[in-house]
Amino acid sequence: MKQYAVILVLAFSIKGFSQNINIQSPVRLLALGDSYTIGQSVAAEMRWPTQLGDSLNKRGYQIDEIRYIATTGWRTDNLVQAIKGQKLQIQNYNLVSLLIGVNNQFQHTPFSKYQSEFPALLDSAIRYAGGDPSRVFVVSIPDYAFSPYGQSTSNPNAISTDLDNYNAYAKQIAENKGVVFFNITPISRLGVQKPEYVAGDGLHPSGIQYREWVKLMLEYIDNQTASASSKGIKILESYFPNPVNDVLNIRLNQAFENKKVKIQIINMEGKVLLKQTMRTSSDSIRVNDLDVGLYFLKLSTGRRSQLVKFALVR
């Protein structure tokens, strides 16, 4: 396999994010967790780590490996035991996720166990990512109170309160260690309102809900990609009109007028809808065949790229 590294450091500075996440290509993702990571009751391709990998691949990242160490029913202590002796720190993972704790709550394990074991697991995740916290992210525990099973219990509100405590603690630990924390719990709380968000077992998230988790992650990745690419000399001088309903006009910065610049239009799910090459300082792209919505315009030349958003209206 061709070995190369393209490193993008994303500074999460919006909506409370202050940590960095470093996505390196080729991506070697280690997903640590329980049923929510392994995707109980959904097809393998609909698990959220797999969906995230697919989306990153569409954004130009090579996906080398996605490895799961996760089993339905695992508590933090089960995961601690599962990763012992596997020498994961020497297997060159450059992206590690951690989602664990629901079974501590579900099985009425003392919260003090989570308080001692979760930080240790996060330290292990950082070690497996080469000691770099920016290559690790934590995903919050979804709220199963908003599933048919949860609604049938004697006190769904108590479940939500418990999980809020677990998530608040996990978020605090993640931030203290400089690790990004993705709060997907509000999405899971749409499970009663949106039955399609729940898998056929009436308890776990569906592939549709996992897709919404990934969209939340990608929103930050894409926004910060745009922010990072805006630093230094910009490829793009201007693009107009925005919003657009027919033709999008592009003008390059003078420094790039004689360079071969590749253009892509990408939808919010990361799918490339249009590709072409600019060889002059200005060009026009007809976009009236696209659906109304938000899109990314990506320009790249050599090792430099720039990503901006535009809206298509009618």
Side-chain angles (χ1 to χ4, degrees), residues 10 54 67 104 109 118 120 131-132 136 139 149 168 173 185 187-189 212-213 247 259 284 311 314:
L10 307 173
D54 290 343
R67 179 178 177 184
N104 291 62
T109 304
F118 180 81
D132 187 348
V136 179
V139 181
Y149 174 85
I173 297 301
T185 308
I187 297 173
S188 71
R189 287 175 172 161
E212 296 304 313
W213 295 14
V247 174
K259 296 185 180 294
S284 298
R314 292 287 185 259

Side-chain angles (χ1 to χ4, degrees), residues 29-294:
L29 170 60
L30 175 64
L32 305 174
D34 50 34
S35 60
Y36 294 134
T37 294
I38 202 66
Q40 177 69 35
S41 300
V42 304
E45 65 271 16
M46 296 304 291
R47 299 167 177 171
W48 70 261
T50 299
Q51 292 196 52
L52 177 61
D54 290 343
S55 295
L56 290 175
N57 183 253
K58 290 175 182 176
R59 282 156 171 75
Y61 294 93
Q62 179 184 336
I63 307 302
D64 190 3
E65 179 184 1
I66 299 178
R67 179 178 177 184
Y68 291 84
I69 300 182
T71 296
T72 298
W74 273 1
R75 303 177 303 270
T76 47
D77 59 321
N78 300 126
L79 183 55
V80 168
Q81 291 300 316
I83 60 180
K84 278 185 178 178
Q86 296 209 35
K87 299 182 179 179
L88 297 171
Q89 67 272 15
I90 63 172
Q91 296 183 33
N92 299 318
Y93 293 107
N94 56 17
L95 192 60
V96 181
S97 67
L98 179 62
L99 166 51
I100 193 73
V102 69
N103 293 296
N104 291 62
Q105 186 277 336
F106 184 77
Q107 298 174 30
H108 307 293
T109 304
F111 185 61
S112 59
K113 289 267 298 172
Y114 188 77
Q115 289 177 303
S116 64
E117 291 168 350
F118 180 81
L121 282 167
L122 189 52
D123 285 339
S124 294
I126 294 170
R127 188 166 66 254
Y128 302 154
D132 187 348
S134 73
R135 295 181 179 182
V136 179
F137 62 94
V138 172
V139 181
S140 69
I141 304 169
D143 190 349
Y144 69 90
F146 289 82
S147 68
Y149 174 85
Q151 291 293 296
S152 72
T153 62
S154 59
N155 194 345
N157 289 336
I159 295 172
S160 297
T161 299
D162 284 350
L163 293 179
D164 281 342
N165 291 333
Y166 275 79
N167 283 324
Y169 181 73
K171 183 175 186 289
Q172 175 189 338
I173 297 301
E175 291 181 346
N176 289 346
K177 294 180 183 295
V179 171
V180 168
F181 181 87
F182 284 115
N183 183 18
I184 56 77
T185 308
I187 297 173
S188 71
R189 287 175 172 161
L190 298 174
V192 174
Q193 177 184 342
K194 296 185 175 184
E196 67 273 20
Y197 276 21
V198 182
D201 63 4
L203 173 59
H204 290 90
S206 67
I208 293 172
Q209 183 181 151
Y210 286 140
R211 185 169 62 214
E212 296 304 313
W213 295 14
V214 171
K215 283 183 181 179
L216 180 147
M217 299 171 188
L218 292 172
E219 177 186 353
Y220 292 109
I221 290 172
D222 289 335
N223 273 299
Q224 294 309 307
T225 301
S227 176
S229 67
S230 69
K231 297 178 181 179
I233 301 176
K234 298 179 181 179
I235 300 174
L236 194 62
E237 177 69 29
S238 63
Y239 64 108
F240 59 92
N242 186 20
V244 60
N245 59 20
D246 186 14
V247 174
L248 184 66
N249 299 294
I250 299 170
R251 290 181 182 171
L252 300 181
N253 186 298
Q254 185 176 359
F256 297 93
E257 285 184 356
N258 297 318
K259 296 185 180 294
K260 180 180 176 181
V261 176
K262 296 180 181 179
I263 301 173
Q264 294 179 331
I265 291 181
I266 306 168
N267 66 15
M268 298 304 289
E269 283 70 49
K271 183 178 180 181
V272 177
L273 304 178
L274 182 147
K275 294 181 182 180
Q276 67 183 60
T277 300
M278 284 185 67
R279 298 182 184 274
T280 59
S281 61
S282 62
D283 205 347
S284 298
I285 303 176
R286 188 166 294 279
V287 295
N288 58 335
D289 290 337
L290 301 179
D291 295 331
V292 169
L294 292 174

